[in-house]
Amino acid sequence: MTDRPRRALADSTAVHDQVYDAIRQALIIGRIAPGVGVSLRSLAADLGVSPMPVRDAVRRLVAERALAINPANKRLSVPSLTADRLSQLAQARLWIEPELAARAAPRADATLIRTLQDIDARLDAALAAGDVDGYMLANHAFHFAIYERAGAEVLLSMAGGLWLQIGPFMRVVFGRVGTGSLPADRHAEAMAALKARDPDAARAAIAADLSEGMDKMRLAVEAAA
């Protein structure tokens, strides 16, 4: 095999991965709104690529239950969030994410704490400015900076899939109530627990943070119903 085909394959793989990552991030921070159908062509146009890597990314995201395809018109949408589905997502998050935080605690170091402090400062600035995009990005970055330190690839992958499914609905709720009405986060408690390398305290802080945020979402879903 010549060098040229190998380079083309590498470039193609990189494009597919970049497209997947871009759509994934759009879902995590809620830029693809629930209930709004989008086409492969419109996604491809937004990303400036051909439909082929978008089709591949969408296939992966459908398998992860982050997107659904309408069989009638082939348009994509975020699956609807019922009270039962929200309850399942909340329970799964409480099983997985606090455990990741607990596993991260013994591995925490000064570099991680500084990273978390920097992210949390961005989050606070976004809250003060009413910047929902900035808040969503910083909140995700804060949690996954912790989770990635856990050294638990299976649990990390599961947590990523859960955020894919919940992100669009977090955005809807926060967009409706405004960043000023969000519950106080437990990030300071989480950072203190990690600094002390205390798994139980880290688990409790993240569990409380998740519970309060999911309660806000549950109230919004019930009101919409």
Side-chain angles (χ1 to χ4, degrees):
M1 185 178 290
T2 66
D3 288 343
R4 186 174 179 180
R6 282 200 295 270
R7 284 198 298 271
L9 178 60
D11 291 344
S12 175
T13 300
V15 169
H16 281 246
D17 288 344
Q18 289 165 11
V19 168
Y20 170 77
D21 289 343
I23 300 175
R24 195 174 188 276
Q25 184 180 67
L27 286 163
I28 286 169
I29 66 170
R31 285 183 180 154
I32 300 178
V36 178
V38 296
S39 67
L40 284 172
R41 288 189 178 279
S42 66
L43 279 176
D46 287 344
L47 295 169
V49 297
S50 73
M52 184 178 295
V54 175
R55 187 176 294 110
D56 177 63
V58 164
R59 188 179 300 115
R60 293 167 66 182
L61 290 163
V62 168
E64 292 177 271
R65 300 183 182 276
L67 287 173
I69 299 179
N70 186 327
N73 57 20
K74 304 300 182 184
R75 290 178 73 81
L76 308 164
S77 65
V78 172
S80 61
L81 186 65
T82 62
D84 179 65
R85 187 158 181 254
L86 177 61
S87 176
Q88 292 181 56
L89 287 169
Q91 183 63 71
R93 293 186 72 195
L94 287 169
W95 281 334
I96 294 165
E97 295 181 47
E99 177 63 22
L100 281 165
R103 289 176 180 233
R107 298 165 171 256
D109 57 18
T111 299
L112 175 61
I113 301 304
R114 284 195 299 271
T115 297
L116 294 173
Q117 289 170 337
D118 290 344
I119 295 170
D120 207 42
R122 297 203 306 269
L123 186 150
D124 288 341
L127 284 173
D131 177 3
V132 177
D133 268 5
Y135 171 84
M136 296 283 289
L137 283 167
N139 190 47
H140 179 269
F142 183 92
H143 281 264
F144 279 83
I146 297 171
Y147 302 162
E148 287 166 4
R149 186 57 65 95
E153 292 184 5
V154 172
L155 294 177
L156 180 64
S157 176
M158 294 170 73
L162 292 169
W163 276 68
L164 273 178
Q165 295 182 62
I166 207 71
F169 299 95
M170 291 172 67
R171 175 58 183 264
V172 168
V173 172
F174 298 163
R176 286 176 182 169
V177 304
T179 53
S181 299
L182 295 178
D185 63 54
R186 301 301 184 102
H187 292 182
E189 294 172 24
M191 286 187 286
L194 291 165
K195 190 173 183 179
R197 296 189 174 182
D198 184 337
D200 291 337
R203 180 184 284 110
I206 292 301
D209 190 50
L210 298 182
S211 293
E212 290 165 9
M214 295 300 286
D215 282 347
K216 180 74 84 171
M217 292 190 64
R218 178 180 53 78
L219 293 173
V221 169
E222 290 174 353

